[in-house]
Amino acid sequence: MTTIADQLVTTLADLGVRTLWGVVGDALNPVTDAVRREERLEWIGTRHEEAAAFAAGAQAQLTGTLGVCLGTVGPGSIHLLNGLYDAKKSGVPVLAICGQVPLAEIGSDYFQEVDNDALFRDVAEFCQTVTSPAQWPRLLQQAVQAAYAGPGVAVLTLPGDVGGQDAPDGARPHITVQQSVLMPADADLARAATLINGADSVTMLVGAGARGAREEVLALAEHLAAPMVLTLKAKEGLERDNPYQIGQSGLIGNPATRKAFDDAGVLLMVGTDFPYPQWLPAGTPTVQIDRRPGNIGRRTPVQAGVVGDAGPSLAALLPRLDAKKDRDHLDGARSAYTGWQERQRRLVDPAHDKTLVGKIRSRLDNTDKRIRPEALAAVVDELAADDAVFLSDTGMSTVWLSRFVQMRGTRRLIGSYNLGSMANAMPQALGVSAVDRGRQTIAFCGDGGLTMLLGDLLTAVAHELPVKLIVFDNGRLGMVKLEQEQGGLPEFGTLLANPDLAAVARAMGLTGLRVTEPEQLSAAVAEALAAPGPVLLDVLTNPEEISLPPKVGVHDAWGFAIAKMKETLTSTDDEG
């Protein structure tokens, strides 16, 4: 007879799932035994279930197909939560299979018992406990379809005495996952066209929802002579060969985006739920195109909303729009952007610190021997493959990737860019690498993020996942340091007592390389990228490098000044 666990595993394999992530044990033993007998599936056992959920979510981000992770009874399931929230916030389909105590013990406060239906209610599109084999095929079908429909997280809980029971005779889940194309309404298009045609200039803010509509986006930008601000997730697919794009806004942005927003007669948002209203232009008439009606107007007031997929919406809108003959708005924004890029490139020039400003700064911070994080990001960008997959930890690692890594060729970009979790880059890189071990997978790791889930370096070794982990080792929680100083507070609680991370990696079976001098950087990056198997490159970077947002007000500048004065007046003994 076919058991419930057998049917689960066969169904997942039939759907195209190839990897299951988790920690084995107790209620999941029937499932992992079924995985052992299914040649189409690979079991990757992690050292922490949070890493399993991150890995499954990263696979879903990369492929658009279902990621699967498993957690055992109680604590094992709880550990999945952060990675599942990342999948929820990223809007990708993930199925979590969670263990539970035997049926007869549910509700008795049994050892390790947790109410999974309550625990996962907020994170999951669908969350149910299987209490009878007769329910099984229908619940599995509902769970997978809910994960795809969200897209988001679905959780199925298997009590310890259910997975090994026989599945109902002749009952199999029939799963439909095809997404439909959402076409815009004519009335919405007419309102949007009227608003855009009445404006002298248009600035576009384009997000990940438009990545599949590259041709339509570029055609509209040309027709409107519109500068294009890209969200971080839109770098992939829309940054390369784009003469209209001017980089990102927000804390990782640049002054050109602020100019483009301030000078716009109309803001056109396409496929984005950009979550920072303080960076959007106040009082500017706005058109927003989005597949999800709930996204329209929730970040900034919108005068014309269009509900529909980006591709068909833009294709239908373009014939209704008058061409903008005056290109001064676009040319001005692009000029500001290229000027900013040139100033950024100077930061990676070794001669930069030999200038008067550089010498003064080195004396003040006493870190002139440390490596610029900008230089590290730029070297990786230069040497990485054109089809590499990049990942980044939340914080300053993401800033340097955003500014110095170009998404040329068929490069991909994955991260915790909506939840903003620490410790995401390394386990997400494991998930990406398991999809295609022959594709270069590069994670920009913060030292704080990496050490949170350090144990799962062993997963890379055990399962031969050739990830390249580039560690920005500045001995700090860098983004927190920036936040404190921007608010006029002295740096406090951000120092990290790091070991030699390259030596730790070597002890765990990886290739471990350490860079302490700027002149070692290029050769070390080249060696790390060329080495077989998993590699950790530990680069000691300057903790005083900061990233200024596109618009720094008097309050921000005063905050930095006051913070630096307080730090100067605080002795080492005071901090200790």
Side-chain angles (χ1 to χ4, degrees):
M1 290 293 293
T2 299
T3 67
I4 285 175
D6 291 333
Q7 192 173 83
L8 167 65
V9 167
T10 300
T11 300
L12 293 176
D14 289 344
L15 283 171
V17 175
R18 292 294 173 262
T19 314
L20 274 64
W21 301 81
V23 177
V24 299
D26 48 65
L28 296 181
N29 286 335
V31 177
T32 51
D33 184 62
V35 174
R36 177 183 62 81
R37 292 180 275 108
E38 173 54 75
E39 295 181 352
R40 293 174 293 173
L41 289 177
E42 178 183 13
W43 171 263
I44 296 187
T46 59
R47 297 306 178 102
H48 196 296
E49 290 89 351
E50 182 179 352
F54 269 129
Q59 290 187 326
Q61 285 194 54
L62 184 70
T63 66
T65 58
L66 189 70
V68 182
C69 57
L70 294 87
T72 56
V73 176
S77 294
I78 294 170
H79 283 168
L80 294 172
L81 262 176
N82 192 51
L84 293 181
Y85 266 106
D86 187 72
K88 170 189 172 74
K89 297 278 282 183
S90 297
V92 294
V94 169
L95 174 65
I97 304 297
C98 296
Q100 184 55 285
V101 300
L103 281 171
E105 302 298 342
I106 291 177
S108 70
D109 196 22
Y110 196 71
F111 175 64
Q112 292 191 321
E113 183 186 2
V114 170
D115 185 345
N116 284 353
D117 293 346
L119 176 68
F120 293 107
R121 185 167 293 126
D122 180 62
V123 75
E125 304 282 334
F126 179 91
C127 181
Q128 292 294 333
T129 297
V130 182
T131 58
S132 166
Q135 297 176 297
W136 170 248
R138 187 169 69 249
L139 287 183
L140 177 58
Q141 177 177 316
Q142 288 180 269
V144 174
Q145 291 182 171
Y148 273 107
V153 174
V155 178
L156 274 180
T157 294
L158 284 178
D161 52 351
V162 169
Q165 293 187 37
D166 292 340
D169 287 340
R172 292 176 55 83
H174 298 283
I175 296 171
T176 302
V177 299
Q178 187 65 39
Q179 293 284 337
S180 60
V181 176
L182 187 58
M183 303 299 292
D186 283 344
D188 293 344
L189 292 171
R191 280 191 294 271
T194 299
L195 198 63
I196 293 171
N197 286 334
D200 293 332
S201 58
V202 178
T203 292
M204 299 174 66
L205 173 61
V206 183
R211 289 189 307 208
R214 175 182 167 83
E215 291 184 8
E216 292 87 348
V217 169
L218 295 180
L220 189 68
E222 170 61 28
H223 191 71
L224 297 176
M228 187 188 305
V229 180
L230 298 178
T231 67
L232 178 61
K233 292 168 74 173
K235 271 175 69 77
E236 174 194 317
L238 289 172
E239 181 178 58
R240 61 177 174 83
D241 303 324
N242 184 343
Y244 315 100
Q245 71 93 11
I246 55 171
Q248 283 71 64
S249 184
L251 288 174
I252 62 174
N254 68 80
T257 62
R258 171 53 56 187
K259 174 178 172 57
F261 281 153
D262 288 345
D263 294 347
V266 161
L267 173 65
L268 173 57
M269 301 171 64
V270 184
T272 178
D273 188 32
F274 185 73
Y276 308 108
Q278 65 270 32
W279 295 104
L280 296 176
T284 301
T286 299
V287 176
Q288 185 173 2
I289 300 172
D290 203 287
R291 179 181 174 86
R292 296 177 179 234
N295 287 353
I296 292 178
R298 74 171 175 175
R299 306 302 182 189
T300 190
V302 168
Q303 285 67 47
V306 178
V307 177
D309 285 320
S313 296
L314 295 179
L317 180 62
L318 181 59
R320 299 169 182 255
L321 300 178
D322 301 330
K324 305 292 186 189
K325 303 299 184 183
D326 187 344
R327 302 180 71 86
D328 287 349
H329 178 53
L330 171 61
D331 293 342
R334 284 286 296 176
S335 177
Y337 179 56
T338 55
W340 174 80
Q341 284 184 307
E342 179 57 35
R343 294 190 296 275
Q344 292 293 297
R345 280 191 287 269
R346 292 177 198 157
L347 297 177
V348 305
D349 183 351
H352 179 78
D353 279 332
K354 297 178 183 179
T355 65
L356 177 61
V357 173
K359 290 177 180 178
I360 293 173
R361 178 172 146 163
S362 296
R363 290 173 184 171
L364 286 173
D365 63 34
N366 197 31
T367 53
D368 55 311
K369 289 291 186 180
R370 294 291 183 99
I371 295 159
R372 287 185 175 279
E374 301 98 328
L376 172 56
V379 171
V380 174
D381 174 58
E382 178 185 356
L383 298 179
D386 283 354
D387 68 343
V389 182
F390 284 88
L391 307 98
S392 64
D393 269 332
T394 299
M396 298 308 295
S397 301
T398 293
V399 174
W400 309 131
L401 184 146
S402 168
R403 293 187 171 188
F404 293 95
V405 175
Q406 299 297 308
M407 290 293 111
R408 61 178 179 267
T410 56
R411 288 178 171 180
R412 299 290 305 273
L413 177 61
I414 290 172
S416 181
Y417 300 137
N418 291 79
L419 179 64
S421 175
M422 289 181 65
N424 63 284
M426 181 267 287
Q428 287 181 328
L430 300 180
V432 168
S433 187
V435 172
D436 183 356
R437 286 172 169 84
R439 188 174 189 179
Q440 196 175 68
T441 301
I442 301 171
F444 278 25
C445 301
D447 46 359
L450 178 78
T451 51
M452 272 190 175
L453 289 174
L454 192 66
D456 272 289
L457 292 179
L458 293 167
T459 303
V461 175
H463 295 276
E464 299 179 341
L465 299 170
V467 293
K468 312 305 178 190
L469 308 173
I470 312 297
V471 184
F472 289 73
D473 188 352
N474 62 4
R476 296 291 198 284
L477 297 175
M479 187 62 80
V480 178
K481 167 182 161 66
L482 179 63
E483 292 167 354
Q484 290 175 346
E485 293 178 343
Q486 187 176 7
L489 301 173
E491 181 185 4
F492 179 78
T494 65
L495 298 179
L496 301 174
N498 291 333
D500 180 335
L501 292 172
V504 172
R506 289 193 294 271
M508 298 172 82
L510 294 85
T511 296
L513 306 171
R514 186 172 171 89
V515 182
T516 59
E517 303 291 338
E519 55 270 19
Q520 302 171 335
L521 188 59
S522 292
V525 171
E527 182 180 355
L529 296 181
V535 178
L536 186 147
L537 177 65
D538 182 19
V539 182
L540 300 188
T541 57
N542 189 340
E544 297 302 326
E545 292 295 325
I546 63 171
S547 165
L548 294 178
K551 187 175 182 179
V552 180
V554 173
H555 174 77
D556 299 317
W558 181 250
F560 280 116
I562 294 297
K564 285 303 180 186
M565 289 176 62
K566 290 177 179 177
E567 289 170 15
T568 301
L569 295 173
T570 302
S571 69
T572 303
D573 289 339
D574 290 335
E575 292 185 345

